[in-house]
Structures are given as structure tokens and as C-alpha cells.
Amino acid sequence: PDTAKEGSFSSPESNLPSPVKQEQAKAETLVDLNAKTPSEDWDDILPSSALEKISEEEAVQIIGEPLLPLQSTTLRDYVDHSETLAKLVHLGVDLSQVEKRQKAGQLLLTLDFEKDIRKILLFLKDVGVEDNQLGPFLTKNPYILGEDLEALETRVAYLKSKKFGKSEIAQMVSRAPYLLLFSVERLDNRLGFFKNELGLSVKKTKDLVIRLPRLLTGRLEPVKENLQVCQIELGFQRNEIQQIVYKTPKILTASKKRLKQTFDYLHNIMGIPHHMLTRFPQVFNSKLLRIRERHMFLAFLGRAQYDPAQPSYISLDQLVSLPDEVFCTEIAKASIQDFENFLKTL
């Protein structure tokens, strides 16, 4: 069945008994000595002896095939000898990045493009990976080329069974290239973890991992630690954490140190209460230096007003998301030159 599956079928002669094959081979190789063959034609029929002397001119014209390197630290040495590597380079795969991944180079050297790789490429295109993204995708995850196609199809079928749409699956796979290396059991456990740990509905859990699919492929320890930091050290309530994470999933994978420093400045220096931070959690994704510089400039101008119940209220979203020019003219009511001069005094 394996031979038939590969598409190589036996010829009628291959089914003959061995003695018949041997006699047939002998008959085909006999030369009719009575036939009148021009003497000059024998040079085309009989091979020259390996011990036959040749001239120096003839020796120089003999071109040998370059030898495949027995050992190398880079895949570049194999590209000229490997059709598979040459075609992957043509697709846009960066071999210099691939060889940095453990055993990825060895894997590629064992694969045949037509037999092993083509079907995976067609599968990825069917999933929704764009042609111009195949190279970058395989650069990040060359291991998928060694995966069993049926296992990959099973994992996609699982995501569809959880009501993820085709475009959503394509987005998740493109943004988290390792996603399809995970078994159905592990994917199911990850979805269950975020649903139960955060108390989210099925729909919100799906929305969460669609926006940040690497939550399904990354380590869970940093996620658990950040949830504890938010509750124990930063003092947010469970329902507040739920809102913050749903609005800004990156908080789950952010640096704990950066998270605590940003909160300390917002809450203790700027006086922003917990409920306001819950409303605008995207402020945690901003650089602390940006927050500090803009707050200090507004305080210098007497415009650092973050209470929505007071006049001239400035939201945290306006504070961090606007470009410098817009922030200066519309929020600070000053020129960009005034802002730059102020920064020089810090």
C-alpha cells in the first residue's frame, strides 16, 4: 500500500519469475557477431577501459561533481547541492535564522521538497497563510515541515469545532507560527485555563486568544505570576483584572518589573485610582518614559488633570496614544518646540 501511495507502480516485467528475467536479460545483452557493424560504431557500443591512458588535454576536460560537505556550521554550504534548500530560499526562507534553531538544519537536509514539503505548503495556503508569508512563517517555524499532515489537519479541525472562523484561524496561525505544533489536548487545556482562571465566557475567551494567539503557545508560569502581581501587589479586584486582561491581553505576558513600575508611577505619583486604570488599561502598554515626560510637561503647564469630574479633563488614552505634535497642540495647548525645550531641562 505504501508503494502504491507514492505513485510508483510495478512494470509487467518485474512480475516475471527470476529465471525468466535472467534469460531475458542474457538475450538482450548478446551481440550478434555475424552482423556487419561498421568498425567505427564499436566506439559507441563498447565502453573504454578505466585503465586506458588518456592525454593531459583530455584529463583537463574531465569535470567532477562538487562533493557535498561532510560537515558544516552553516546551511549555505549545502544550498548548491540541495534542491530542497534552494527552493526554500526561493520561497523566502532565511536559512541563517533557521540554522539557529535546534536541529532545524538537520531536519531540512533530510526532507524532499516534492515528497515532504509541497503538501505542507499547500496545507498552509489552505489554512490561510498568504504566499508572501510562507517564507517568513517557515523561517520562524521550520519544524512544521516534519509534522504529520493528518495531525495538522486534526488540529485545525479542532479549532473549527470550537467555532473559530477560517479567517480567525488564519490570523492565529500567522501570528503564532508554533500554534499548529501543539496537540489537540494541549490546545484544549490552554483554552480551558484562560476561561476558568479569568472567569471569562466562551466567546470572550475566544476573542482573547484571537487577539493574542501566543497565549496558547507560550509558558503559563509568567501568566500566573502576572495575575498574582495584579491582585496581590497592585491591589486590583478579580473583576477588575478580568476587564484589564480582556481589553489588554499583553498584560499577561508583560515584564513584572515594568508592570509594577508603571503602576507605581500612575497610581502613586499621578494619583490615578484603580477604577480609572481599569477603564484605560492600555496605558500599561506604553513606555514609562513617555508617560513621565508628558505628565511632567502637563504638570509644568498646570494642565495635569485626570479626573473626569473636573474641567479640562485629560484621559489616559489621550495622554499616551497621540503623536507628539497632536498631544502638544490639542492636549497641552503648546507647541512642539515648547515640549522639546522642556525635555532638555529634565
Side-chain angles (χ1 to χ4, degrees), residues 259-273:
L259 193 60
K260 289 189 285 188
Q261 288 177 337
T262 302
F263 173 82
D264 180 65
Y265 193 84
L266 289 166
H267 185 65
N268 298 320
I269 304 299
M270 294 173 59
I272 310 296

Side-chain angles (χ1 to χ4, degrees), residues 10-279:
S10 301
S11 63
E13 290 81 7
S14 65
N15 296 322
L16 294 173
S18 296
V20 177
K21 289 182 185 177
Q22 294 171 2
E23 292 303 319
Q24 187 183 53
K26 289 179 182 179
E28 291 175 352
T29 55
L30 287 177
V31 178
D32 186 357
L33 298 179
N34 295 322
K36 292 184 179 180
T37 305
S39 59
E40 59 270 19
D41 290 346
W42 281 97
D43 291 335
D44 297 329
I45 298 173
L46 299 179
S48 59
S49 170
L51 300 178
E52 181 182 343
K53 291 183 178 181
I54 60 175
S55 66
E56 291 185 6
E57 290 78 6
E58 291 174 316
V60 171
Q61 294 176 8
I62 297 176
I63 302 175
E65 290 293 327
L67 295 175
L68 186 68
L70 296 177
Q71 187 175 2
S72 177
T73 57
T74 174
L75 287 173
R76 287 178 299 179
D77 293 339
Y78 295 93
V79 173
D80 292 337
H81 311 276
S82 170
E83 181 185 10
T84 295
L85 293 184
K87 288 185 175 181
L88 288 175
V89 170
H90 183 70
L91 272 175
V93 176
D94 186 345
L95 296 182
S96 66
Q97 295 299 316
V98 170
E99 63 194 18
K100 294 178 183 179
R101 307 185 188 281
Q102 188 176 18
K103 297 184 178 180
Q106 294 94 313
L107 170 66
L108 295 189
L109 289 172
T110 64
L111 298 176
D112 178 87
F113 191 87
E114 296 299 328
K115 179 182 176 183
D116 304 312
I117 296 179
R118 182 178 292 277
K119 59 185 179 184
I120 302 298
L121 295 177
L122 293 174
F123 164 78
L124 290 173
K125 289 183 65 174
D126 186 61
V127 168
V129 180
E130 300 291 337
D131 287 355
N132 61 354
Q133 289 300 312
L134 286 173
F137 181 94
L138 295 177
T139 298
K140 295 176 182 176
N141 179 18
Y143 305 108
I144 198 170
L145 297 175
E147 287 288 299
D148 178 69
L149 181 59
E150 187 176 347
L152 294 174
E153 291 172 339
T154 299
R155 292 160 196 169
V156 172
Y158 165 77
L159 294 174
K160 290 179 179 178
S161 74
K162 293 298 179 180
K163 307 304 180 185
F164 288 97
K166 183 176 177 61
S167 61
E168 293 169 342
I169 294 174
Q171 177 183 333
M172 292 167 67
V173 171
S174 297
R175 295 177 61 188
Y178 283 100
L179 180 65
L180 293 180
L181 295 187
F182 290 81
S183 67
V184 167
E185 292 76 16
R186 184 166 182 177
L187 292 174
D188 193 64
N189 288 338
R190 284 298 177 92
L191 287 172
F193 169 82
F194 290 108
K195 179 180 180 299
N196 298 328
E197 194 74 17
L198 299 172
L200 298 175
S201 65
V202 172
K203 183 182 183 306
K204 285 190 173 183
T205 303
K206 281 176 51 186
D207 291 342
L208 183 74
V209 298
I210 288 170
R211 285 182 289 141
L212 192 63
R214 70 170 183 265
L215 289 175
L216 297 177
T217 61
R219 294 168 54 239
L220 286 181
E221 286 72 16
V223 172
K224 294 176 181 177
E225 290 174 359
N226 279 6
L227 288 174
Q228 288 184 337
V229 166
C230 287
Q231 184 172 4
I232 298 173
E233 298 187 45
L234 307 188
F236 287 102
Q237 301 298 315
R238 179 176 169 81
N239 66 314
E240 292 176 327
I241 295 174
Q242 185 184 83
Q243 294 179 56
I244 290 171
V245 169
Y246 181 69
K247 291 178 181 177
T248 316
K250 285 184 179 179
I251 282 180
L252 292 174
T253 57
S255 161
K256 289 188 298 181
K257 179 180 179 181
R258 177 184 165 188
L259 193 60
K260 289 189 285 188
Q261 288 177 337
T262 302
F263 173 82
D264 180 65
Y265 193 84
L266 289 166
H267 185 65
N268 298 320
I269 304 299
M270 294 173 59
I272 310 296
H274 282 80
H275 72 273
M276 290 296 293
L277 293 174
T278 302
R279 283 185 59 192

Side-chain angles (χ1 to χ4, degrees), residues 1-11 14-15 115:
D2 290 340
T3 304
K5 194 179 297 183
E6 294 297 331
S8 57
F9 297 92
S10 301
S11 63
S14 65
N15 296 322
K115 179 182 176 183

